[in-house]
């Protein structure tokens, strides 16, 4: 599958296709499904993960990602262990990554880890870590 | 418990009340429910709206919001007209605001407006626009 086909299939390219000859930057938001969070809660946690990871990226990656439409993909894992492992792997790979801990005012217990945001990062590097995960 | 202690304890303060004597900054993400988007799609669109509105805020508002835990709320409207009206009102009020248009690769038609992000902005100003909306 080529780059454009993957982008089309991934479905979360929000504003524009990438040029073939431009390095593709992407962000992954990985959500725990075992917590039974509602859709509003998931959206808030993902927005939090998105900005937190963005703020950890270097300025070049930020600009490349923003200027190419902020492609992102929302994926799922089924446990805190899987979430924590992905976070550690991302950090080890040198990618900007943030793990979100909920304040627990609603729905779930305080201190619960809910979402990991990784990137913006080069698509190939991100896919190496997250390519096996399913879309939420 | 004082403000700092609460921040330290909450880790990622998503929803809690701010100290009365600290200017509270908040972001609202408003989602159309009439499109029937799935939870992954909603999360991606909200993340997009969150960063897009953040990038339109001034540096003082950005810093105040990030340093106080990036409080955000996810709200709902039932039509494109309601969404567009909120966006116009936010711009007229001088608040940072972004309306997200989906590329339409999955689930919904290309060009569909899905989410509005408003803020970070002072909580009072945000509530004046969005206080009547229900949580998603």
């Amino acid at each position: 599958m080529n780059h454009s086909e993957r982008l089309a299939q991934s479905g979360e390219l929000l504003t524009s296709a990438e040029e073939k000859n431009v390095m593709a930057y992407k962000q992954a938001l990985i959500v725990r499904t075992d917590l039974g969070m509602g859709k509003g809660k998931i959206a808030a946690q993902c927005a939090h993960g998105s900005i937190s990871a963005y703020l950890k990226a270097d300025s070049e990656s930020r600009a490349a990602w923003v200027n190419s439409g902020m492609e992102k993909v929302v994926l799922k894992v089924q446990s805190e262990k899987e979430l924590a492992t992905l976070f550690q792997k991302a950090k080890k790979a040198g990618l900007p990554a943030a793990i979100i801990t909920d304040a627990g005012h609603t729905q779930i217990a305080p201190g619960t880890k809910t979402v990991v945001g990784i990137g913006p990062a080069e698509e190939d590097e991100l896919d190496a870590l997250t390519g096996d995960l399913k879309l939420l």
Side-chain angles (χ1 to χ4, degrees), chain A:
Chain A
M1 196 182 333
N2 70 28
H3 182 59
S4 298
E5 286 168 342
R6 256 190 295 124
L7 285 179
Q9 194 179 62
S10 75
E12 296 304 344
L13 180 65
L14 294 173
T15 57
S16 72
E18 309 272 334
E19 292 295 322
K20 291 276 194 304
N21 56 349
V22 172
M23 187 78 75
Y25 281 82
K26 194 164 77 170
Q27 185 180 65
L29 304 169
I30 300 111
V31 181
R32 279 177 67 184
T33 56
D34 59 312
L35 296 171
M37 295 184 285
K39 56 193 173 186
K41 183 91 179 172
I42 291 172
Q45 302 286 322
C46 282
H48 205 76
S50 181
I51 290 198
S52 297
Y54 171 83
L55 292 175
K56 296 189 177 190
D58 59 50
S59 56
E60 188 190 350
S61 301
R62 290 186 197 185
W65 184 62
V66 168
N67 293 333
S68 62
M70 300 199 280
E71 183 186 357
K72 63 185 73 64
V73 61
V74 181
L75 304 168
K76 61 182 173 184
V77 293
Q78 294 179 342
S79 70
E80 178 165 346
K81 189 179 174 186
E82 284 179 85
L83 196 73
T85 300
L86 266 169
F87 177 58
Q88 293 304 332
K89 283 184 180 174
K91 285 205 300 183
K92 199 172 174 185
L95 303 184
I99 191 161
I100 304 307
T101 302
D102 191 67
H105 294 292
T106 56
Q107 295 192 23
I108 57 180
T112 304
K113 291 177 175 58
T114 56
V115 162
V116 162
I118 308 175
E122 292 178 23
E123 188 165 27
D124 290 350
E125 290 187 283
L126 199 57
D127 286 349
L129 285 179
T130 62
D132 291 339
L133 300 177
K134 290 184 180 168
L135 291 172
L136 177 68

